[in-house]
Amino acid sequence: MPEIMIITGGSRGIGAATARLAAQRGYAVAVSYVRDEDAAGRVVGEIRARGGAAIAVAADVSQEDDVVRMFQAVDGALGPVTALVNNAGVVDRQMRLEDMTAARVQRILATNVLGSFLCAREAVRRMSTLRGGRGGAIVNVSSRAAQLGSPGEYIDYAASKAAVDTLTLGLAREVAAEGIRVNAVRPGIIDTDIHAAGGDPGRAERVGPSLPLRRAGSPEEVARAILWLASSEASYCTGSVLDVAGGR
Ligand code: NAP
């Protein structure tokens, strides 16, 4: 039976690196995106050119209808999901709490928290052995910000990632006896476009040398940790949160 992995936000950054590596390891891959259709198409094209199976699905993880439709599309095109990577996530401009609008905080929580809950729900409905599924693995992409708090930058984002850590722990225990393992990675500063969205495009280059490992991480280094947690190599890990942060 083929392994089928959904990677939310698989068009760019950590998600795209995870999609490429998953395909190399033999997964059929579905990547979701919201805006950058060309980037999603490039990831899928690369995987197919190497003989892998991949599809791209436009779906905003904060919208319940989009999430339901995405899982149905994957059911039809590839089969029921066996691995979910809850990777889609957003930050907003760096600022202090006093300046944050309700709309901003709601957008961060809707994407990073509600989106992870909705995708995990659809995955559990398909994976749970209680529902006739064959089990599976969920890997949530949290952040070191969950423990550092990101003061003066984006405490809304940090708090959303703390919620992802607790989702990981609670859901792991809730579905452990149903063949589903739930784990998370907590990346540190990784060289992707996300820093530009925070208004600090040079962040990885600037902060990298001050980190214990003296550099920012690459998306591929996070992808390898995600693939390990999703694989049977991590068969006794559930509810685990793995820092991939260069010692930060
Ligand atoms: P990125 O380069 O900005 O890519 C974000 C991805 O998420 C894109 O594929 C984007 O799709 C997608 N996305 C955004 N909003 C979405 C939504 N509402 N629904 C579905 N997809 C959505 O980000 P990244 O740095 O790779 O980050 C990936 C994950 O790692 C995030 O959860 C982030 O919080 C976490 N993380 C990153 C770092 C870091 O330093 N980079 C550190 C810690 C944690 P489009 O292409 O369509 O916009």
Side-chain angles (χ1 to χ4, degrees):
M1 292 281 272
E3 294 286 336
I4 295 154
M5 178 177 281
I6 295 178
I7 300 135
T8 65
S11 52
R12 295 184 288 112
I14 292 168
T18 304
R20 291 191 193 96
L21 186 60
Q24 280 173 31
R25 304 256 171 103
Y27 288 89
V29 166
V31 296
S32 80
Y33 65 97
V34 263
R35 277 172 300 274
D36 201 337
E37 186 176 1
D38 289 348
R42 280 194 294 278
V43 173
V44 166
E46 275 176 47
I47 291 171
R48 288 182 181 164
R50 293 188 176 143
I55 62 166
V57 185
D60 182 339
V61 293
S62 69
Q63 302 299 314
E64 186 171 19
D65 290 352
D66 279 19
V67 171
V68 169
R69 201 177 32 73
M70 170 174 75
F71 276 81
Q72 288 170 346
V74 175
D75 290 340
L78 303 174
V81 62
T82 60
L84 166 69
V85 182
N86 264 325
N87 167 76
V90 287
V91 297
D92 210 321
R93 312 291 286 186
Q94 295 179 357
M95 63 177 68
R96 288 168 54 95
L97 173 66
E98 297 101 291
D99 300 319
M100 289 182 186
T101 63
R104 167 202 164 110
V105 178
Q106 272 168 344
R107 184 178 81 93
I108 300 296
L109 296 177
T111 304
N112 300 358
V113 183
L114 178 61
S116 298
F117 271 77
L118 292 173
C119 293
R121 183 191 75 188
E122 292 305 306
V124 168
R125 285 178 176 173
R126 288 160 174 81
M127 293 174 180
S128 171
T129 53
L130 284 183
R131 292 168 165 265
R134 56 181 173 116
I138 297 173
V139 182
N140 296 321
V141 181
S142 174
S143 171
R144 280 294 291 145
Q147 294 189 312
L148 300 172
S150 305
E153 295 183 330
Y154 18 67
I155 63 173
D156 50 353
Y157 171 81
S160 78
K161 293 299 187 176
V164 169
D165 285 359
T166 305
L167 163 66
T168 303
L169 181 63
L171 184 61
R173 292 175 175 172
E174 191 166 297
V175 298
E178 297 161 39
I180 307 172
R181 294 181 303 104
V182 186
N183 294 290
V185 292
R186 262 195 305 241
I189 295 183
I190 310 300
D191 192 6
T192 73
D193 298 343
I194 203 169
H195 307 293
D200 190 0
R203 188 167 195 241
E205 205 178 335
R206 183 170 49 75
V207 179
S210 69
L211 301 174
L213 278 185
R214 298 282 181 263
R215 62 177 179 83
S218 71
E220 289 73 22
E221 288 174 306
V222 182
R224 288 197 286 273
I226 292 171
L227 263 293
W228 179 73
L229 284 169
S231 79
S232 59
E233 292 286 311
S235 54
Y236 202 56
C237 291
T238 199
S240 301
V241 183
L242 178 60
D243 289 339
V244 187
R248 187 170 190 242

